Amino acid sequence: MSIAFTFPGQGSQAVGMGRDLAEAFPEARAVFEEVDDALSQKLSKVMWEGPEDELTLTANAQPALMAVSIAAMRVMEKGGLSLRDKVSYVAGHSLGEYSALCAAGTFSLADTARLLRIRGDAMQAAVPVGEGAMAAIIGLEAEDVEAVCAAASAGSVCQIANDNGGGQLVVSGARAAVEEAARLASEKGAKRAIMLPVSAPFHSALMQPAADAMREALAKVGKSAPAVPVIANVTVSPLTDPEEIARRLVEQVTGRVRWRETVAWFGENGVGTLYEIGSGKVLSGLARRINRDLNAVAVNAPADIEAAMQALV
């Protein structure tokens, strides 16, 4: 059985993340310093000291989460890990796809930080605050949530943004339509339908201005073929061509994060272990709910890295 590395998305951030790596490993410190320099901002200070509301801002959370993932990767590489030799695939949840591509060498660290800052700013600016919304629908099948979105949109925008697996889907779009979708989902038998405390309707058609901004930004940045294929969020297929990867990243801004299908794809294609590289354990928890046969391991603290390296090298 082969191995895949996965990289977390927004929501996995927490004040203090990455500080233990920076204190323990010079390779990790170098990553945080390079990200700070690329953004002309002491982002590491926000990551380690807060305040939480500043870290949670989309424009900060996205490069911050990437930085922790790449810090862990650099430590593992220093210890002798070769991604190309040990890992069959990489994938990331939403912004985590950029972390995966940085880890696999498609983008440089500095370029990835700048791309994620552009992405975060553009996603925040795409829709006036208060006009968009997202809601988590728990306990309905995807087909039922599709029907709810179709009924709720009625000339507006409401669509599945994230299919996270484990009976959890997130819908996104215009606030009134999303609120109606949450109501209809409850009527249809959802266990819970919860409006989420987010600042914009991510992964919906309302994000088209942000998609346009990313198309422009990605056209200007250097791109290399990844060391191992990336499983794209929007296609659930392995990609290695840099230009196709860029096109799919543009689509991802307005498209669905098909994480349930991604984890299922791993199980169907010979992957036995998923290592989640970076802050938190969200993806590991989802993987266990989607496919109990997969071994899911979260790697973010120094002790996690030590254990992973004993297994991998």
Side-chain angles (χ1 to χ4, degrees):
M1 299 294 280
S2 61
I3 290 165
F5 278 11
T6 65
F7 297 83
Q10 210 160 330
S12 290
Q13 70 274 358
V15 172
M17 65 182 190
R19 181 166 49 197
D20 52 354
L21 296 179
E23 291 171 349
F25 304 108
E27 300 80 18
R29 284 197 298 278
V31 168
F32 297 123
E33 289 167 5
E34 186 172 345
V35 170
D36 286 351
D37 290 345
L39 298 178
S40 300
Q41 175 198 8
K42 199 70 173 170
L43 182 62
S44 58
K45 186 175 189 293
V46 177
M47 292 164 60
W48 300 337
E49 300 176 14
E52 185 176 2
D53 58 352
E54 189 173 346
L55 175 61
T56 303
L57 290 173
T58 299
N60 287 334
Q62 295 198 17
L65 284 161
M66 181 276 298
V68 176
S69 292
I70 301 305
M73 282 296 306
R74 294 286 188 267
V75 173
M76 295 168 77
E77 288 164 354
K78 179 69 173 179
L81 174 74
S82 166
L83 192 73
R84 191 186 303 274
D85 292 342
K86 295 293 185 178
V87 177
S88 297
Y89 307 101
V90 294
H93 191 286
S94 190
L95 83 89
E97 193 163 327
Y98 287 80
S99 306
L101 289 162
C102 181
T106 294
F107 302 126
S108 72
L109 175 59
D111 282 342
T112 309
R114 287 188 286 262
L115 285 169
L116 287 172
R117 172 56 52 81
I118 292 167
R119 185 177 185 267
D121 283 338
M123 292 172 84
Q124 189 61 65
V127 179
V129 174
E131 292 189 12
M134 300 178 77
I137 310 298
I138 313 295
L140 282 186
E141 296 297 325
E143 298 76 19
D144 291 327
V145 179
E146 292 269 22
V148 162
C149 288
S153 56
S156 184
V157 173
C158 184
Q159 65 192 78
I160 295 176
N162 301 339
D163 182 355
N164 287 329
Q168 180 195 115
L169 294 106
V170 176
V171 301
S172 181
R175 176 168 292 277
V178 171
E179 289 173 343
E180 176 66 2
R183 186 186 69 79
L184 292 173
S186 294
E187 286 185 355
K188 210 171 183 69
K191 293 177 183 176
R192 297 179 74 189
I194 313 153
M195 298 300 291
L196 298 177
V198 296
S199 55
F202 304 130
H203 298 290
S204 78
L206 297 178
M207 289 285 108
Q208 188 57 49
D212 295 340
M214 292 314 298
R215 181 180 293 107
E216 182 178 342
L218 286 160
K220 295 176 180 176
V221 76
K223 296 177 280 291
S224 301
V228 297
V230 60
I231 309 304
N233 282 185
V234 295
T235 63
V236 195
S237 59
L239 305 182
T240 56
D241 177 67
E243 294 307 320
E244 182 176 7
I245 286 169
R247 288 195 298 274
R248 300 307 186 185
L249 288 173
V250 173
E251 289 179 25
Q252 190 220 69
V253 178
T254 57
R256 184 182 306 181
V257 176
R258 296 166 60 185
W259 198 253
R260 173 182 58 82
E261 295 171 79
T262 298
V263 173
W265 188 95
F266 285 138
E268 293 161 3
N269 287 274
V271 173
T273 301
L274 299 180
Y275 285 91
E276 178 181 5
I277 313 296
S279 180
K281 302 179 180 180
V282 171
L283 299 185
S284 299
L286 291 176
R288 293 186 188 102
R289 290 202 290 272
I290 295 165
N291 183 348
R292 293 181 182 275
D293 292 333
L294 283 172
N295 181 31
V297 181
V299 179
N300 50 53
D304 300 331
I305 291 175
E306 183 178 345
M309 292 300 288
Q310 288 178 354
L312 287 165
V313 177

